[in-house]
Amino acid sequence: MSKTSSTRGGIDRRTVLAGSAALIAAPWVVSPARAQAKQVNIGVIMPLSGANAQFGINSRNGIELVADEINAAGGIKALGGAKINLIVADATSTPTTAGTVAQRMISQNEVTAILGAFASSLTIAISEVTERRDIPLLTMSFADQITGRGFKNIFQVVAKASALGKAQLDYTVAIAQAAGTKIDKIAIMYEDTAYGTAQAGGLRAAAKAANIELVMDDAYPLGITDTTPLINKLRASGAQAVFPVSYLNDSLLLIRTMRQQRITIPAIGGAAGYVIPDFEKGLGEFAEGVLSIAPANYDLDTSLTDRFRKRFGYFMVHEALEHAVALDVLVQAIEKAKSAKAEDVTMALRGGKFTGGWTNAMTGGAVQFDSTGLNTASIPVMVQWRKKELVTVWPKEVAKGTAEWNS
Amino acid sequence: MSFIQAILDGLLVGGVYAVISIGLTLVYGVMGIVNFAQAEFLMIGMFVSWFAWAYLGLDPVLAAPLSFAVAFALGWLVQGQLISRVLKAPSVAQIFLTVGLLIVLENGALLSFGSQFRSVTTSYQTMSLSLGSLFISVPYLIAFSMSLACGVALWWFMRTSWFGRAMRATAQNPMAAQLMGIDTALMYKMAFALGVGLTAFGGAVILPYVTVFPQVGGQFVVLMFTVVVLGGLGSVAGAVVGGLAVGVIQALSALFFPIQLQNLVLFLVFILVLAVRPQGLVGASR
C-alpha cells in the first residue's frame, strides 16, 4: 500500500484490489483481537417496552449494576482482565420479537451467554434459539416449562412456579397456624398466561395435599379492566384467605375492589405485582400487612442490595436481584472455565456450586444447577409489606421479621 | 342478589365505556373517519390527570376538564395538520394514518414518561356505599356520574348550540352545509377535537381505578370498537346504549361462565347482533 503514496498516478489494479481486500477484511481481523484482549460480550434481552417494560427495566438495572462493579474491580481475571460488554436488546413484550432478537444477537454479536427475559413466555421463545445455537441462557423466569423440556443450555436461578405456588400455600398455612388459625377454605385467582397458570397449579396441588378446600379457582385474562365480578364471587365463596397470582395492574384492582367490598380476609400475593414499589405507591396504607410469596428478597443481604438502592433510588426488586445473581454466577463460570466460549461456559455452569458474591442474597446462599438447569439451592420466601418496605417473614431460618396474620 | 349486583356493576362500568367511545362514533359520524388512535387519547387523558394529581395535588376526577382541554387542543392540531389531508383519500390511507398516529402517540408517551405503571391514591378509592346487601363502588359511581354529566353536556351542545347544529349539518351533507356558509373545515376540527377530548375526559375519571402506562389504550381499544359497532357506528345514542350493553354483558357473563370467557360471551353477542341488525342496536343516524 505504501507504493500508492510513493508513486503518484501509478495506482494499478492489483494495488486497488489488495487495498480493498484489506479494507473488507479489516473488521474481521480487528474485532476478534479486540474482543480477546478486553471484552466478553453478554447478551441481555428484556422487555423494555410493552406491558412488561417496567420489569424488564428493573432487571436490566440489576444486571448493569453487577457488570459495572465487576468491570470497575478489574474485569474477568481469568481472561486477563477482560471487561464485560453488555449488549442490551428490547424483546418488547411479544415472544416472537424476543426470539428474533436472540437470533440476531447470536449471529451478529458473538455473545458468550444471554440473560433474560423476565416474562416466562419471552424466555421460552428465546430458549428455543439458544438451545439450537448452544448458547447458555440464564433466567429468573418461573414457569415450569423452562427447565422442564430437557434443554441443555438453560439455567433457571430461582425455584419454579409450581414450587412458588406450593410455598405460597404451605407458608401461609404455617403462618396462620402460628397465629392460632386453621385454614380449611381458600380461593385462588390467577392471570391466564404461562406464569399464572403454572403457579396456580402449584397452589392447587398443595391445597389438595393439605386437605384444604378450594372454594374458588378462577383464571382471568391478563389486562382485565374490571375485577368486580371476581371479587363478587370471592365474597360469596366464604374463603378464609385468597391467593391472587397477578401482575401489577390487576393486583391493584383486586386489592382495591376487595377493600371496597369490605372483604378483610388476608390476600397472599403471588410475587410479580405484589412485590414492587409501585404496589405500595398505588395502594398507600392498604398495602400495609399484605403478604406475598417471592423467589428472593432484598433484605436477605442488604450489604449487597443497598448498592442498588443507592444507584437507582428504590429497593432492589426481586427480578433485579435474581438477574444480578445470574450475571454473577455466569462470570464465576467464565472465571472457572478460563474461557469465554459458550460451550466451555455451559460446562462450567452445569457442574459447579457457586457461592459468594451475589449468591449471598439468595436463600441457600449458593447457586447449584441440577441436570435440567434448575437451581436446587433456591427456595421461595414469604414477604410482608411493613412501612413501605418488604420484610422476609418466612421460613423462620431466613426471616428478618415476624409474620403478622389478621384473619 | 348477585344478579342485581352484576347488573349494577355492569351499568356503572358501561357508562364509562359509553363516554370513552362517544368520541370514536362522533368522529366517524361527522367525518366518516375511523380513528384507530382514539384509545391513545384515553391514555393521554390519563397521563394529564396523573401529572395534575402528582404535581398539582389535584384530584384526578377534578383534573378531567384539564385532560379534556389538552386532548382538545391536540385533536385540533391533529385534525388540522394530518387528518384533513386524507379526508378525501381512499380509506386505506386513512387507516394507515390513524394507525401510524397510534404508534407515534404510544411510543411518544413511552419516550417522554417511561414505561412504569402509574396509579393515584385517593381517599375514596377503596370506599363503597351499601344498599342493603348491594355494594356500589364509589370510584365507579363517581366515574359513571361524571361520564353521564359529560354525555348530557355533549347532547345539549349538539342539540341547542349553533356549533352543534352546524356540525350535524356538515355530517349530513358537507357540500350543502358549505353552500349555507358553514366552514366545514372548522366543523371537522371541532368534531375531532371534541371527540378525542371526550375520550381523554373518560380517561381521567377512570384513573382512580385504572393504572396508567403508555400501552393502556390497548386494554380498551377492542372494547371501544365493540361499543360503537354494537350501538351503530356514527350514532352517539348508540354509543351510550352500546356502552351500557357491553358493561352488563361482561358482568353477567362472569356470573354464569368463568371470567376468562368474559369477552368470548361479549363477542358472541356482538356477532349475533351484527347478523341480525347489521346497522347496530340503534341504527346509524348519519
Side-chain angles (χ1 to χ4, degrees):
Chain A
M1 295 260 290
S2 57
K3 202 176 152 199
T4 52
S5 52
S6 54
T7 56
R8 276 177 61 97
I11 308 171
D12 59 324
R13 219 170 68 188
R14 188 177 304 230
T15 318
V16 174
L17 264 175
S20 33
L23 270 175
I24 293 167
W28 276 272
V29 181
V30 173
S31 71
R34 192 175 51 199
Q36 204 177 12
K38 281 295 160 239
Q39 61 185 20
V40 174
N41 288 346
I42 292 172
V44 176
I45 305 179
M46 292 293 166
L48 300 175
S49 61
N52 286 323
Q54 187 57 45
F55 303 104
I57 289 166
N58 289 341
S59 304
R60 188 195 59 194
N61 287 349
I63 291 170
E64 280 182 353
L65 176 76
V66 176
D68 290 350
E69 286 184 356
I70 290 175
N71 285 343
I76 299 169
K77 293 180 185 67
L79 301 180
K83 295 275 189 282
I84 297 170
N85 180 33
L86 296 180
I87 294 165
V88 182
D90 183 5
T92 70
S93 296
T94 38
T96 37
T97 316
T100 319
V101 164
Q103 192 92 47
R104 206 177 54 213
M105 197 174 258
I106 296 170
S107 4
Q108 293 180 357
N109 300 98
E110 299 174 50
V111 291
T112 296
I114 290 178
L115 305 171
F118 178 74
S120 298
S121 47
L122 301 178
T123 308
I124 288 168
I126 297 171
S127 72
E128 304 286 344
V129 179
T130 50
E131 187 66 14
R132 260 199 319 270
R133 306 287 292 265
D134 279 325
I135 301 283
L137 171 65
L138 287 91
T139 184
M140 52 62 68
S141 296
F142 305 158
D144 289 39
Q145 288 142 277
I146 286 179
T147 46
R149 294 165 299 166
F151 279 13
K152 301 186 308 294
N153 298 299
I154 193 153
F155 301 93
Q156 193 172 22
V157 298
V158 292
K160 295 184 288 191
S162 60
L164 273 164
K166 181 172 160 40
Q168 193 181 356
L169 186 96
D170 291 350
Y171 292 179
T172 305
V173 169
I175 290 169
Q177 205 159 35
T181 312
K182 189 177 178 302
I183 292 186
D184 327 283
K185 286 181 183 171
I186 61 156
I188 298 177
M189 44 183 80
Y190 57 99
E191 57 86 26
D192 63 359
T193 68
Y195 151 69
T197 312
Q199 193 162 330
L203 269 167
R204 206 173 289 130
K208 197 175 169 206
N211 262 330
I212 291 172
E213 192 189 343
L214 280 182
V215 288
M216 179 177 169
D217 183 357
D218 278 29
Y220 66 84
L222 180 64
I224 189 169
T225 50
D226 173 28
T227 56
T228 327
L230 272 175
I231 301 302
N232 284 340
K233 205 166 166 187
L234 173 67
R235 190 152 46 92
S237 74
Q240 292 168 289
V242 55
F243 294 79
V245 182
S246 36
Y247 285 109
L248 178 71
N249 199 33
D250 21 345
S251 71
L252 290 179
L253 271 174
L254 285 168
I255 301 286
R256 280 180 189 153
T257 315
M258 272 179 73
R259 297 296 182 243
Q260 278 170 17
Q261 303 210 3
R262 282 152 233 170
I263 298 175
T264 53
I265 58 169
I268 298 94
Y274 294 86
V275 289
I276 52 177
D278 298 87
F279 180 78
E280 194 278 331
K281 272 194 220 152
L283 287 174
E285 54 179 312
F286 296 104
E288 184 71 14
V290 171
L291 287 158
S292 179
I293 199 73
N297 194 35
Y298 62 92
D299 69 354
L300 292 178
D301 190 342
T302 47
S303 67
L304 291 165
T305 57
D306 276 349
R307 307 210 287 253
F308 183 94
R309 196 195 292 257
K310 215 173 140 200
R311 175 159 162 186
F312 297 106
Y314 58 102
F315 67 66
M316 192 166 195
V317 289
H318 79 82
E319 66 267 20
L321 172 59
E322 293 138 16
H323 275 119
V325 171
L327 178 57
D328 195 6
V329 166
L330 175 65
V331 171
Q332 288 192 35
I334 296 174
E335 294 276 15
K336 209 172 106 187
K338 296 189 175 50
S339 158
K341 274 170 89 179
E343 56 263 40
D344 300 340
V345 176
T346 307
M347 195 91 83
L349 278 170
R350 207 167 307 133
K353 180 174 184 178
F354 300 92
T355 54
W358 282 86
T359 65
N360 288 340
M362 296 291 282
T363 45
V367 170
Q368 187 163 26
F369 299 109
D370 66 9
S371 58
T372 66
L374 177 70
N375 173 16
T376 50
S378 172
I379 55 158
V381 291
M382 188 69 89
V383 294
Q384 189 163 36
W385 280 99
R386 300 268 173 78
K387 297 188 180 75
K388 305 187 180 190
E389 294 289 327
L390 280 175
V391 179
T392 304
V393 294
W394 207 271
K396 275 184 174 156
E397 310 85 81
V398 293
K400 305 286 174 193
T402 324
E404 279 165 22
W405 182 258
N406 316 298
S407 57
Chain B
M1 218 57 202
S2 55
F3 186 74
I4 302 172
Q5 177 79 54
I7 291 191
L8 190 68
D9 291 335
L11 287 175
L12 288 180
V13 180
V16 175
Y17 290 166
V19 148
I20 61 175
S21 313
I22 283 177
L24 189 61
T25 214
L26 187 72
V27 170
Y28 181 78
V30 176
M31 298 156 50
I33 287 226
V34 178
N35 179 16
F36 286 97
Q38 191 80 21
E40 273 46 57
F41 287 93
L42 178 89
M43 176 266 292
I44 289 168
M46 293 175 81
F47 265 115
V48 169
S49 169
W50 187 87
F51 279 105
W53 170 81
Y55 295 104
L56 307 176
L58 218 54
D59 187 277
V61 174
L62 296 180
L66 190 65
S67 295
F68 176 87
V70 171
F72 188 93
L74 200 61
W76 191 275
L77 264 174
V78 167
Q79 165 62 30
Q81 301 303 315
L82 299 173
I83 313 271
S84 58
R85 294 169 199 271
V86 296
L87 273 177
K88 293 195 177 70
S91 53
V92 184
Q94 300 176 348
I95 293 172
F96 283 162
L97 178 70
T98 57
V99 171
L101 186 63
L102 179 163
I103 296 170
V104 168
L105 289 176
E106 201 173 288
N107 288 288
L110 197 62
L111 264 178
S112 331
F113 313 130
S115 59
Q116 62 263 53
F117 300 87
R118 290 182 164 91
S119 59
V120 297
T121 38
T122 62
S123 54
Y124 52 85
Q125 206 154 40
T126 49
M127 275 171 19
S128 65
L129 310 172
S130 40
L131 212 81
S133 61
L134 294 179
F135 285 92
I136 303 170
S137 151
V138 170
Y140 277 21
L141 187 66
I142 292 175
F144 177 79
S145 323
M146 292 290 281
S147 299
L148 196 71
C150 196
V152 169
L154 177 79
W155 178 81
W156 178 83
F157 178 79
M158 292 295 275
R159 287 284 135 191
T160 61
S161 74
W162 179 87
F163 263 115
R165 284 200 303 273
M167 220 184 290
R168 282 186 292 137
T170 310
Q172 278 167 9
N173 190 335
M175 180 71 85
Q178 205 159 14
L179 288 173
M180 294 297 122
I182 292 172
D183 182 350
T184 48
L186 179 73
M187 289 307 129
Y188 287 154
K189 277 187 204 156
M190 191 76 171
F192 193 84
L194 209 55
V196 297
L198 276 175
T199 300
F201 184 95
V205 299
I206 59 174
L207 195 55
Y209 63 88
V210 180
T211 314
V212 55
F213 55 102
Q215 292 86 7
V216 70
Q219 290 184 359
F220 289 92
V221 66
V222 179
L223 278 178
M224 285 165 73
F225 275 97
T226 314
V227 166
V228 297
V229 178
L230 199 60
L233 195 55
S235 153
V236 171
V240 175
V241 174
L244 294 176
V246 166
V248 172
I249 293 167
Q250 276 193 331
L252 281 183
S253 76
L255 207 57
F256 301 109
F257 305 101
I259 192 164
Q260 218 178 349
L261 302 182
Q262 195 178 49
N263 287 342
L264 183 78
V265 175
L266 178 65
F267 290 129
L268 284 179
V269 174
F270 180 62
I271 291 166
L272 203 71
V273 169
L274 280 185
V276 182
R277 268 188 74 86
Q279 72 274 41
L281 288 173
V282 182
S285 66
R286 261 198 93 188

